[in-house]
Amino acid sequence: MKIPKYVVLSLLFLTILLGFRWIWSAAFAIPDHPEPVRGVLDLRGWDLAKASPISLDGEWGFTPHALISSKEDTRSDTPSTWIKVPGDWRNALPQAASSFGYGTYHLRILLDPSVKEAALWAQKMQTSSIIDINGTVVAKFGEPASQAADYQPERTAFVTSYAPGESSELILHVQIANFDDPFSGGITRSLYIGSAEAIGKERGISIDLQKITFAILLLHSLYAFVMFLFIRKQRALLTFSFLTLATALTVVSDHDGLLLNWLPLNFTWIVKAKAISYASFALFLLMLARSFANPIQGRRLFVIYASIITGYLGFLLIAPVTLVYYALHTQIPDFLYFFAIGWSVLLFFKMAAAKQSDASFLLFAAMSSLSSVLWGFVNSHSEITNVYYPIDVIAAIFGFAAYWFRKYFRNSNEIEMLYEQLKEEDQQKDQFLVNTAHELRTPLHGMINIAESIAVREQRKSGGQHGEDMKLLMTIGRRMSQLIDDLLDVIRLKEKRITLQKKPLSLASVVSGVIGMFRFMAEGKKVQMNIDIPEGLPLVQADERRLVQILYNLLHNALKFTDEGTITVSARACENSVIMQVSDTGTGISEELQARIFDAYEQGTDQARLSGGIGLGLSISKQLTELHGGELTVQSEPGQGSTFQISLPREDTAALSDQTLPRWDIHHFEETAASVSEEQQPILHEKTTARILAVDDDPVNLRVLISMLSNEPYDIQPAASALEALEWLNTQSWDLLIADVMMPHMSGYELTETVRKRYSVSELPILLLTARNEPADIYAGFMAGATDYVTKPVDAVELRHRIGSLIVLKQSIDERLRMEAAYLQAQIQPHFLFNTLNSIMMLSEIDTDRMQRLGDAFIEYLQTSFHFVNSEKMVEISHEIDLSKAYLYIEKERFEERLNVVWDIPHEIDIMLPPLTIQPLIENAVRHGVLSQVEGGTVWIRILAQTGGTLIEIEDNGSGMHPEQIERALAWPKPYPLEPGGIGLTNTHRRLNQLYGQGLTIVSSPGQGTKVSFFIPDYPDLN
């Protein structure tokens, strides 16, 4: 079994760290030494000057509830009790329920007469204390007292020296009072004795290491915070800054309590500072680990954890110190601390297991953090050394920093490589565009020339449809040629290879020629195009071809964003130039977009993208204007239209009278659109097999589609917008909807989603056409509800076959629905058949005339039910009425007085409706409405002529329906497939909704009867 690499690295890092720990522990280990026994420590024969400091851990004397100095203690050899130091004094305090109390520790230390001076070192004294040696107070912290009101706490570390003189012993008294910590009182940490030199050396090393570690952490915190200010998106830098700051706070708030030397903190806040620093460290470490890994996974658990620890930190800030001690002595802080550490280490392991780049640095940091936490936990319960160990903390921080720097340098190198690659590919792109444009240009112009020659021949012969098709082909070819020219111009402008052929030009003649090209483009739009150029306008110095190109791009842009209103081209003379303006009343341009609208490939708005183009027109126009020595600017407000202004140098010579043109009359393009729509009327065949609704905002595309399908037996209705298509859907029945995706106002996707709210995929297939074939666009089309998706340019053979397949699918579904209705009607329920036959047999013995009439009605019912017309799409209403009357006659004979029928229909009515729509509703009213009551009831059948159509109602005063029953009866697919009962209502509702856009309307409430109605519009024959 192969061991994963990250496991080997983890074990290696942990081994190295433990090796450093072992070396450190060996270097600063406390030597074996005598321990105090019954209040006496015998150090005679122990050389304090040569030995390392030793602890005073052992059995001390203790007098509870008394604060005694050496002068007052006349019986130091016989204290009240003996107590283990370090440790909590609760068991030594009489009847103590907590560690609150006061008392005096006694220790007699016997030294060699040669010892001239001894030093005492305490890293942390609990609450308040007074240290007395041989009657001399050597240290005092706070104010020990017998009452909490007189007591003042203070916590600190200290080193003090004492010369025993001629005496060879030290009588040590430590007076302590505690009214803050209910769980830990007395001497809770070890005291050390040794020579002043040895203690000073070890303590100095420990304090220096703490200062160095604090400085390193603080520097990392500062540089991370400064980097975050420059890169606000990198929030992990801010987290790292807080993490290192919290770690630094743990270093100076614990051990030798350096924080007290720098800040004037009281006892309460030094306790809180330590607790807050450790909790904050855990939170920020987990936040940092999650930012490196996947921040989405475990989000809910992290939010819960962060909420808990944030509440805990808030509690630490506001709670009294006694409550803080209560919280610290529960298992909750430890759980929160180790939970975050464990989760962080697990995330680092997962990153290493996933072989993420530079994850080994994070693994090293994780092992360092884990080693520091575990070793700190062990050392707090069993002091192995009293010298601060900094390697784990520094190694962890450097691991995180190394990961970041490595990532930064790698990203920097990748960016540099990508930059060089981008420059190279940009050059290749330009060359590719030039080559492609040149390669496309020749065959395209050949196609245009051939189409033009064919069009001329066809016009000479008959001037028929073929000639119009060739003209359409030429228009499309010229549009493609214009796009190719734009691509070539972009490269030429970039390489400064365009040379202008300037000559004096009349703006009036140029503008009128360009306006003429836009007549066809404005088809279907209620747009007026005006020319406002005064007579006698000076000529301009310009390249005619390039000036036409500039004006064409500006007018094309104006027409694209003006659905209704006016577009005006005006000009006026200035001192050294001629100012031409192209104004429109369209959608306008926002201030933000105006700053970048002349950039290459900039389209700006969703409407621009949906309207087609590649965003080069305005950029080319601006650069060409500047080549002429002029300037192109824009003024616009959203919703108020736009004005593009061009300044061109004027010609010095006087304007020629024959070059000026009279003022142009207003062109209203509604007339042109009307004439075009006449030309676009669908081609009717002797037998139309399908009705197709084609939607495209470009009339050229619609004409191309109609031309491609002209030889097919289709009835094609063009629509210039999605809104117009929705209007056609509300008035007629269709077999296929063909829609372009890129349409203004409402895209093909939005149109598809709207249609799908009414028609299912099987009820109305939708074929989307677009020039984009990116996977995301195709997915969006199918998710919107499209049945098929074809990219442009479309191959005619492929399109015809796809349309044919979709139409066959639609008509097959329609046929299935009609056959389903006929089948349901043909499935006469056995109990109805048996009951009717039984009624006939009974009447044969009672009343033969009634038997004969009932038999005739039954035969008519069977014949009508099985009639072939039931499989047709539409039938005469008389057929439905005859079937319903036969059914009701049978039921009336069977149930007599329990069933009353009221007919309210005109004597003469001539409408067509889907087969088997009225009888199933009557049967439902009889069976589930009237006859569900013991007393029976009445069924009303009404047919009412209304404006725009006919209303048919079937009402009963039966048991009624609950709202959920109504919803279940009309739902499709059935929410409860195993629920008893037929699907007659559902089938009828679906067929009516598909044909007319609205199905059954059911008004009912329990005990109040039911009214079912539907409306048949005055449509033409839908067969």
Side-chain angles (χ1 to χ4, degrees):
M1 180 178 176
K2 186 177 179 181
I3 302 177
K5 181 180 178 181
Y6 69 92
V7 175
V8 176
L9 284 175
S10 302
L11 295 175
L12 178 62
F13 291 151
L14 195 57
T15 302
I16 294 173
L17 294 170
L18 292 177
F20 278 115
R21 278 284 186 183
W22 179 80
I23 295 172
W24 191 272
S25 300
F28 296 101
I30 300 173
D32 294 334
H33 60 279
E35 294 184 357
V37 178
R38 298 186 67 81
V40 177
L41 174 60
D42 190 355
L43 294 179
R44 288 174 295 187
W46 187 271
D47 190 353
L48 293 179
K50 295 181 179 181
S52 298
I54 60 175
S55 67
L56 300 181
D57 297 351
E59 192 177 34
W60 288 44
F62 180 66
T63 303
H65 297 164
L67 300 175
I68 305 171
S69 66
S70 299
K71 295 180 180 180
E72 299 171 346
D73 187 5
T74 57
R75 301 188 316 159
S76 58
D77 292 334
T78 57
S80 299
T81 186
W82 309 106
I83 193 170
K84 184 69 176 178
V85 173
D88 181 38
W89 65 10
R90 182 181 306 184
N91 294 332
L93 295 175
Q95 299 178 349
S98 67
S99 294
F100 290 161
Y102 60 98
T104 304
Y105 287 84
H106 313 266
L107 181 64
R108 183 182 177 194
I109 305 173
L110 304 179
L111 302 172
D112 285 335
S114 59
V115 176
K116 303 301 183 182
E117 186 180 28
L120 192 65
W121 177 18
Q123 285 188 314
K124 181 172 69 174
M125 292 299 294
Q126 190 77 357
T127 56
S128 62
S129 59
I130 297 177
I131 295 88
D132 181 310
I133 301 178
N134 293 348
T136 302
V137 175
V138 296
K140 180 179 180 181
F141 306 103
E143 187 66 43
S146 59
Q147 300 293 329
D150 302 326
Y151 147 88
Q152 293 182 359
E154 184 179 348
R155 176 188 290 182
T156 188
F158 73 92
V159 172
T160 184
S161 299
Y162 184 79
E166 297 181 356
S167 172
S168 59
E169 65 178 12
L170 300 177
I171 307 300
L172 178 62
H173 286 72
V174 181
Q175 304 174 36
I176 296 180
N178 171 42
F179 293 100
D180 286 301
D181 189 346
F183 299 96
S184 180
I187 301 176
T188 58
R189 294 290 297 271
S190 298
L191 277 73
Y192 298 91
I193 191 171
S195 65
E197 181 181 358
I199 287 181
K201 179 180 178 181
E202 286 200 5
R203 184 171 184 265
I205 291 174
S206 180
I207 290 177
D208 289 343
L209 290 174
Q210 291 175 57
K211 290 180 178 179
I212 292 172
T213 304
F214 177 79
I216 292 173
L217 295 172
L218 190 60
L219 285 174
H220 278 77
S221 177
L222 289 175
Y223 88 69
F225 183 74
V226 172
M227 290 178 65
F228 167 74
L229 294 179
F230 289 114
I231 314 174
R232 295 294 180 90
K233 293 182 179 179
Q234 293 290 338
R235 295 186 179 180
L237 287 170
L238 183 62
T239 305
F240 181 71
S241 176
F242 288 152
L243 173 64
T244 51
L245 186 62
T247 308
L249 188 60
T250 63
V251 173
V252 296
S253 63
D254 204 352
H255 302 285
D256 289 281
L258 295 181
L259 192 61
L260 286 172
N261 299 332
W262 301 336
L263 298 176
L265 299 177
N266 58 23
F267 175 80
T268 299
W269 281 106
I270 192 62
V271 173
K272 291 185 176 183
K274 179 181 176 182
I276 291 172
S277 64
Y278 278 97
S280 301
F281 168 80
L283 175 62
F284 292 129
L285 178 63
L286 181 56
M287 290 175 63
L288 185 66
R290 284 176 50 81
S291 68
F292 289 152
N294 186 357
I296 303 301
Q297 294 181 354
R299 181 180 181 87
R300 184 176 182 182
L301 179 60
F302 173 75
V303 170
I304 295 174
Y305 172 81
S307 301
I308 294 174
I309 203 167
T310 303
Y312 173 66
L313 290 171
F315 166 79
L316 292 178
L317 286 172
I318 63 176
V321 68
T322 302
L323 293 180
V324 172
Y325 273 119
Y326 272 108
L328 292 175
H329 282 82
T330 64
Q331 300 299 320
I332 296 177
D334 291 341
F335 171 77
L336 294 176
Y337 185 71
F338 286 108
F339 176 79
I341 301 295
W343 192 357
S344 302
V345 173
L346 179 62
L347 291 176
F348 294 143
F349 266 87
K350 286 185 176 180
M351 293 177 65
K355 298 181 180 180
Q356 293 190 16
S357 301
D358 307 322
S360 56
F361 293 107
L362 293 179
L363 202 60
F364 177 68
M367 291 297 99
S368 301
S369 301
L370 185 62
S371 174
S372 177
V373 171
L374 295 177
W375 190 264
F377 182 77
V378 172
N379 201 54
S380 65
H381 289 77
S382 176
E383 269 188 54
I384 300 175
T385 176
N386 53 9
V387 178
Y388 174 73
Y389 179 75
I391 295 178
D392 285 347
V393 174
I394 296 176
I397 298 303
F398 273 109
F400 290 128
Y403 172 80
W404 241 313
F405 281 117
R406 178 70 176 175
K407 184 178 181 180
Y408 169 78
F409 288 125
R410 185 179 64 254
N411 291 342
S412 178
N413 292 333
E414 290 179 357
I415 291 173
E416 186 174 351
M417 292 174 59
L418 289 173
Y419 173 71
E420 296 297 330
Q421 182 180 354
L422 183 61
K423 288 200 303 183
E424 181 180 354
E425 291 183 354
D426 183 58
Q427 295 176 355
Q428 294 177 355
K429 179 262 297 179
D430 293 342
Q431 189 61 41
F432 170 78
L433 288 176
V434 172
N435 295 338
T436 303
H438 280 297
E439 291 297 326
L440 290 175
R441 204 172 193 183
T442 301
L444 179 61
H445 280 280
M447 293 167 56
I448 295 174
N449 293 333
I450 294 173
E452 186 174 4
S453 62
I454 295 174
V456 172
R457 288 200 301 268
E458 290 294 330
Q459 188 173 7
R460 289 174 181 174
K461 291 179 180 179
S462 60
Q465 181 64 33
H466 293 295
E468 294 297 323
D469 291 343
M470 289 300 103
K471 291 181 180 179
L472 178 62
L473 180 61
M474 288 186 293
T475 302
I476 298 171
R478 292 191 182 100
R479 182 177 296 182
M480 289 183 60
S481 179
Q482 183 67 41
L483 291 177
I484 292 175
D485 290 340
D486 285 347
L487 289 173
L488 288 172
D489 287 341
V490 168
I491 306 303
R492 294 190 187 112
L493 287 168
K494 185 176 182 180
E495 298 177 356
K496 299 181 179 180
R497 291 193 290 110
I498 288 184
T499 302
L500 299 179
Q501 304 295 328
K502 294 183 180 180
K503 62 180 180 180
L505 294 175
S506 167
L507 274 183
S509 61
V510 173
V511 172
S512 62
V514 176
I515 287 289
M517 291 190 293
F518 278 86
R519 291 183 179 178
F520 186 76
M521 296 182 64
E523 291 174 346
K525 287 192 173 185
K526 298 178 180 179
V527 177
Q528 295 179 352
M529 301 192 73
N530 304 332
I531 298 178
D532 184 11
I533 298 179
E535 296 183 9
L537 184 72
L539 304 180
V540 296
Q541 273 288 342
D543 186 316
E544 183 176 9
R545 176 171 171 267
R546 298 301 178 182
L547 182 58
V548 169
Q549 184 178 358
I550 294 170
L551 187 57
Y552 179 91
N553 288 336
L554 294 179
L555 285 172
H556 185 273
N557 185 76
L559 188 61
K560 183 189 299 184
F561 297 100
T562 306
D563 295 328
E564 186 175 356
T566 60
I567 297 175
T568 303
V569 181
S570 60
R572 70 178 188 276
C574 293
E575 182 178 354
N576 297 318
S577 62
V578 175
I579 305 298
M580 181 173 61
Q581 292 183 336
V582 179
S583 305
D584 63 70
T585 58
T587 57
I589 306 170
S590 65
E591 184 176 352
E592 176 187 0
L593 181 56
Q594 291 180 38
R596 64 177 194 275
I597 196 172
F598 295 112
D599 295 340
Y601 307 105
E602 176 62 50
Q603 291 177 288
T605 64
D606 292 336
Q607 183 177 351
R609 284 185 282 272
L610 291 174
S611 299
I614 55 178
L616 293 176
L618 291 180
S619 176
I620 293 173
S621 298
K622 183 175 179 61
Q623 294 181 70
L624 290 176
T625 303
E626 291 172 352
L627 277 180
H628 281 85
E631 185 181 8
L632 174 60
T633 58
V634 61
Q635 295 179 348
S636 180
E637 292 183 11
Q640 302 298 320
S642 305
T643 298
F644 287 86
Q645 180 172 290
I646 308 168
S647 64
L648 294 171
R650 58 186 292 178
E651 173 63 26
D652 294 335
T653 59
L656 302 176
S657 59
D658 60 343
Q659 289 179 311
T660 58
L661 296 177
R663 183 182 178 88
W664 190 270
D665 292 333
I666 294 177
H667 297 281
H668 199 292
F669 285 93
E670 291 181 346
E671 298 178 359
T672 306
S675 63
V676 171
S677 61
E678 290 179 1
E679 298 175 1
Q680 292 181 350
Q681 288 300 317
I683 303 171
L684 299 178
H685 297 264
E686 294 182 0
K687 179 173 177 58
T688 300
T689 61
R691 300 171 62 87
I692 299 176
L693 179 61
V695 192
D696 199 314
D697 63 315
D698 191 339
V700 175
N701 293 338
L702 288 174
R703 294 181 64 182
V704 169
L705 180 63
I706 294 173
S707 177
M708 294 172 68
L709 302 176
S710 59
N711 295 325
E712 302 295 329
Y714 301 147
D715 183 359
I716 304 174
Q717 173 61 52
S721 67
L723 296 177
E724 183 181 348
L726 292 175
E727 292 178 1
W728 280 109
L729 286 172
N730 289 330
T731 57
Q732 295 189 29
S733 175
W734 305 95
D735 294 296
L736 177 64
L737 172 63
I738 302 176
D740 184 33
V741 170
M742 302 298 177
M743 293 188 295
H745 305 303
M746 179 183 288
S747 69
Y749 299 141
E750 296 172 321
L751 173 62
T752 302
E753 291 177 349
T754 303
V755 172
R756 281 289 168 258
K757 294 177 181 178
R758 172 174 168 183
Y759 297 100
S760 67
V761 175
S762 60
E763 291 170 342
L764 180 60
I766 300 177
L767 177 64
L768 292 181
L769 299 177
T770 183
R772 289 176 57 87
N773 60 350
E774 298 293 332
D777 299 287
I778 297 175
Y779 298 157
F782 286 124
M783 291 179 66
T787 313
D788 204 352
Y789 198 101
V790 178
T791 58
K792 296 186 293 188
V794 180
D795 181 78
V797 176
E798 177 189 0
L799 182 63
R800 283 196 293 266
H801 280 81
R802 287 183 181 270
I803 289 175
S805 299
L806 293 175
I807 288 175
V808 169
L809 171 65
K810 167 63 167 56
Q811 293 178 345
S812 299
I813 296 295
D814 289 347
E815 184 67 20
R816 182 186 66 81
L817 289 175
R818 291 194 296 270
M819 295 304 296
E820 177 184 313
Y823 173 75
L824 289 174
Q825 182 62 30
Q827 279 187 313
I828 301 175
Q829 297 186 9
H831 73 272
F832 175 75
L833 179 63
F834 296 150
N835 291 336
T836 304
L837 292 175
N838 287 335
S839 299
I840 293 174
M841 293 173 65
M842 291 177 62
L843 288 174
S844 67
E845 301 177 357
I846 301 174
D847 190 337
T848 55
D849 291 336
R850 288 179 61 191
M851 178 198 74
Q852 182 66 38
R853 289 193 297 271
L854 180 59
D856 292 340
F858 186 53
I859 291 173
E860 182 179 358
Y861 176 78
L862 293 177
Q863 289 177 339
T864 309
S865 297
F866 289 104
H867 200 282
F868 71 91
V869 77
N870 290 331
S871 61
E872 296 296 329
K873 190 172 184 178
M874 306 293 288
V875 298
E876 295 181 356
I877 194 171
S878 58
H879 176 81
E880 282 288 295
I881 293 175
D882 291 342
L883 177 63
S884 302
K885 286 183 176 180
Y887 169 75
L888 287 173
Y889 184 85
I890 295 171
E891 295 291 56
K892 179 66 177 175
E893 285 294 325
R894 289 179 55 205
F895 297 101
E896 298 181 344
E897 300 302 326
R898 289 185 62 199
L899 175 62
N900 296 315
V901 180
V902 178
W903 290 87
D904 183 8
I905 62 176
H907 293 291
E908 294 183 1
I909 181 169
D910 183 18
I911 64 172
M912 303 292 288
L913 77 169
L916 304 174
T917 50
I918 298 179
Q919 190 275 333
L921 304 182
I922 295 175
E923 183 176 350
N924 185 74
V926 171
R927 290 178 54 198
H928 302 292
V930 172
L931 298 182
S932 63
Q933 303 179 129
V934 176
E935 66 278 8
T938 303
V939 176
W940 291 269
I941 299 97
R942 304 186 186 93
I943 301 178
L944 307 173
Q946 296 184 347
T947 303
T950 303
L951 179 67
I952 300 175
E953 294 181 347
I954 291 87
E955 184 179 0
D956 66 78
N957 58 358
S959 57
M961 302 171 67
H962 291 280
E964 56 270 17
Q965 290 177 303
I966 299 175
E967 182 179 358
R968 214 162 41 235
L970 299 180
W972 183 263
K974 303 299 288 183
Y976 306 100
L978 300 180
E979 184 180 39
I983 59 172
L985 280 179
T986 305
N987 181 280
T988 304
H989 177 70
R990 289 177 62 205
R991 289 185 294 129
L992 290 172
N993 191 62
Q994 179 183 351
L995 286 172
Y996 307 120
Q998 55 184 353
L1000 297 177
T1001 301
I1002 301 179
V1003 179
S1004 180
S1005 58
Q1008 301 298 319
T1010 304
K1011 179 191 290 185
V1012 182
S1013 61
F1014 61 92
F1015 187 77
I1016 304 295
D1018 289 336
Y1019 288 172
D1021 185 9
L1022 296 177
N1023 282 300

